[in-house]
């Protein structure tokens, strides 16, 4: 008996690895063939970090970015053979793990450098660091004018090796690139000042910069959202963002169908009443799957190639769809598309994001753990 019971879950995320390959090739071209270090943090932006990471390694990518040390550990333990760059700041208590799992970590405090040096010395290893410089993100990083002093102090620790210097863009996805240009200028000055310190990789560009500020690719770029075929924003200048192909489709099945009379209140709080006799489908999808309750009565789902409105409050595990338009053509078990294509219709992650007043990043990273990611 096949005991892969998880695939018995009726709501599934389908992951198209050909589209991932296509997006990587596009990004590689735009980055002028410079090394790409794809970001697979937050479970591969919700797509499944292991699936995405394995495919990237198959494609020849050797360095992958995560946000946190445990994310790297999980992937190493799962057998992914790559160098993991940990992008978020962490605390000295993680240093032993960083060394044991061969991670390269972003640092911006001397406390972290010291504790990494101690852990590396204990293990008889060397540890590679990436120094984060804050050129305007205002999140983590030392100021550009502190770089040389920091590098000098790192020189006191023979177990650490500052392999990279990096920065990050807060506004590269906006139409006006003036602020990003200023950051690039500052970063160039950092490069010049640190010339004699043997830095191997200067890296700055995220997805938005790869499209609109390719001069920021320097020695490597760190694309995230775009590898998944999603646009960094709707205000990108480079028309080639339209060549991205979405990697994820989210689909479920109809588990119940009922005819109800006009004036029937549906789901918690009866936020929706039928105006006419209606055919209502139940689907096993709710906010427990990462579809926000705030989207209640706002979503269009695809059934039989037709846009059908989601009606009533989205519950934790189920919600309702008005399929009256499909009377006589719809049955139990039929496919319902939340994100993706069906026939000539398509619902995009951007559409959901706009309805929720957020960005595509948040929609995909919220897709719940319990939903199986199925490779197509
Ligand atoms: C430091 C850093 N680099 C690169 C990325 C990838 O950014 P994007 O997904 O916009 O390409 C992120 C994502 O937030 C990040 O925090």
């Amino acid at each position: 008996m096949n005991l892969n019971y998880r695939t018995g879950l009726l709501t599934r995320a389908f992951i198209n690895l050909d589209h991932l390959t296509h997006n990587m090739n596009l990004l590689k071209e735009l980055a002028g063939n410079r090394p790409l270090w794809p970001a697979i943090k937050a479970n591969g932006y919700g797509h499944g970090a292991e699936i995405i990471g394995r495919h990237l390694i198959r494609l020849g990518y050797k360095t992958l970015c995560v946000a946190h040390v445990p994310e790297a550990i999980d992937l190493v333990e799962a057998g992914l053979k790559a160098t993991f760059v940990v992008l978020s700041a962490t605390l000295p208590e993680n240093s032993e793990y960083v060394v044991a799992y061969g991670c390269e970590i972003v640092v911006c405090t001397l406390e972290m450098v010291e504790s990494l040096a101690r852990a590396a010395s204990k293990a008889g290893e060397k540890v590679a660091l990436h120094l984060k410089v804050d050129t305007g993100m205002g999140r983590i990083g030392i100021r550009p004018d502190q770089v040389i002093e920091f590098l000098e102090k790192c020189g006191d620790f023979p177990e650490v090796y500052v392999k990279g210097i990096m920065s990050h863009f807060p506004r590269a996805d906006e139409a006006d690139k003036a602020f990003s240009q200023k950051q690039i200028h500052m970063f160039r000055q950092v490069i010049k000042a640190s010339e004699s310190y043997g830095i191997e990789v200067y890296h700055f560009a995220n997805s938005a910069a790869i499209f609109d500020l390719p001069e920021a690719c320097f020695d490597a770029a760190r694309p995230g959202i775009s590898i998944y075929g999603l646009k960094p924003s709707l205000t990108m200048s480079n028309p080639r963002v339209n060549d991205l192909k979405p990697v994820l489709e989210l689909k479920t099945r109809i588990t119940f169908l009922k005819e109800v009379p006009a004036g029937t209140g549906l789901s918690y709080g009866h936020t929706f009443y039928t105006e006419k006799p209606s055919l209502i489908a139940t689907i096993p999808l709710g906010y427990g799957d990462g579809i926000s309750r705030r989207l209640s009565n706002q979503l269009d789902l695809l059934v039989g190639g037709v846009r059908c409105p989601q009606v009533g409050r989205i519950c934790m595990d189920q919600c309702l769809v008005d399929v009256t338009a499909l009377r006589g053509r719809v049955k139990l078990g039929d496919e319902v598309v939340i994100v993706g294509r069906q026939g000539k219709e398509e619902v995009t992650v951007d559409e959901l994001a706009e309805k929720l007043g957020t960005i595509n990043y948040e929609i995909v990273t919220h897709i719940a753990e319990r939903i199986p990611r199925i490779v197509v």
Side-chain angles (χ1 to χ4, degrees):
M1 200 186 357
N2 178 2
L3 285 180
N4 193 359
Y5 60 93
R6 291 258 297 162
T7 59
L9 208 83
L10 298 170
T11 303
R12 300 168 180 196
F14 293 91
I15 306 299
N16 188 323
L17 295 178
D18 290 341
H19 285 188
L20 177 60
T21 306
H22 164 91
N23 299 330
M24 292 312 298
N25 289 339
L26 172 64
L27 292 163
K28 209 161 113 186
E29 183 198 329
L30 294 167
N33 266 324
R34 289 191 190 76
L36 299 180
W37 296 355
I40 59 168
K41 58 202 175 94
N43 197 21
Y45 287 47
H47 291 62
E50 215 182 299
I51 293 172
I52 299 294
R54 270 188 215 291
H55 189 68
L56 290 169
I57 291 167
R58 266 197 300 275
L59 293 178
Y61 292 92
K62 294 184 168 56
T63 303
L64 305 174
C65 297
V66 291
H68 304 301
V69 179
E71 291 182 318
I73 294 176
D74 282 345
L75 293 168
V76 173
E77 290 288 348
L80 273 72
K81 303 233 177 313
T83 300
F84 289 94
V85 176
V86 178
L87 296 175
S88 297
T90 187
L91 293 172
E93 64 209 51
N94 266 320
S95 292
E96 271 181 47
Y97 294 107
V98 171
V99 173
Y101 284 86
C103 301
E104 295 186 359
I105 188 158
V106 171
V107 294
C108 43
T109 66
L110 282 169
E111 287 85 345
M112 205 53 217
V113 174
E114 267 172 42
S115 100
L116 285 163
R118 236 177 292 124
S121 161
K122 217 162 114 190
E125 306 262 355
K126 255 189 116 132
V127 59
L129 313 180
H130 297 261
L131 175 57
K132 182 75 167 262
V133 183
D134 184 6
T135 54
M137 176 72 188
R139 192 170 59 183
I140 58 170
I142 60 169
R143 292 192 317 266
D145 63 289
Q146 296 173 312
V147 168
I148 297 306
E149 193 189 340
F150 200 98
L151 290 174
E152 285 291 334
K153 290 201 170 131
C154 288
D156 295 342
F157 302 98
E159 305 84 357
V160 306
Y161 150 54
V162 183
K163 177 176 173 181
I165 294 186
M166 61 178 297
S167 197
H168 191 46
F169 287 108
R171 301 180 60 181
D173 60 332
E174 294 175 9
D176 182 350
K177 307 292 183 200
F179 187 79
S180 303
Q181 295 288 6
K182 263 194 220 157
Q183 286 186 276
I184 294 172
H185 177 70
M186 260 187 246
F187 198 65
R188 286 213 171 98
Q189 288 177 321
V190 168
I191 294 176
K192 209 158 161 230
S194 58
E195 244 167 17
S196 61
Y197 287 84
I199 308 299
E200 215 178 285
V201 200
Y202 291 94
H203 49 112
F204 200 162
N206 55 0
S207 296
I210 294 173
F211 280 95
D212 283 0
L213 298 156
E215 67 272 31
C217 288
F218 298 103
D219 303 313
R222 308 181 307 266
I225 197 75
S226 56
I227 78 166
Y228 307 98
L230 302 173
K231 294 174 192 169
S233 76
L234 302 178
T235 52
M236 299 293 299
S237 311
N238 190 335
R240 298 205 65 191
V241 286
N242 298 316
D243 296 342
L244 290 168
K245 294 186 179 177
V247 169
L248 177 138
E249 290 192 305
L250 186 62
K251 298 179 180 180
T252 190
R253 314 259 302 275
I254 294 176
T255 49
F256 189 63
L257 274 169
K258 60 180 178 292
E259 288 284 355
V260 298
T264 304
L266 296 176
S267 191
Y268 291 118
H270 285 180
T271 58
F272 183 89
Y273 286 91
T274 51
E275 281 180 4
K276 55 180 195 306
S278 302
L279 181 60
I280 303 296
T282 302
I283 56 171
L285 172 88
Y287 59 80
D289 299 296
I291 300 299
S292 173
R293 185 170 173 275
R294 281 185 289 129
L295 285 168
S296 298
N297 293 304
Q298 288 192 66
L299 286 178
D300 276 347
L301 306 178
L302 307 181
V303 189
V306 175
R307 276 182 177 259
C308 298
Q310 185 280 319
V311 288
R313 285 244 170 90
I314 294 173
C315 311
M316 185 186 293
D317 314 296
Q318 303 183 84
C319 66
L320 304 172
V321 190
D322 186 340
V323 292
T324 311
L326 292 166
R327 211 178 246 136
R329 290 190 285 142
V330 65
K331 58 180 189 317
L332 282 185
D334 278 1
E335 177 188 88
V336 179
V337 172
I338 302 103
V339 168
R341 281 181 186 280
Q342 197 184 53
K344 293 193 178 111
E345 281 288 351
E346 182 178 14
V347 178
T348 63
V349 177
D350 286 329
E351 180 179 326
L352 266 64
E354 199 194 340
K355 285 179 176 168
L356 193 57
T358 184
I359 52 174
N360 50 18
Y361 295 67
E362 186 175 335
I363 300 289
V364 284
T365 52
H366 278 189
I367 296 174
E369 191 84 38
R370 74 177 176 190
I371 294 181
R373 273 68 173 172
I374 312 282
V375 173
V376 292

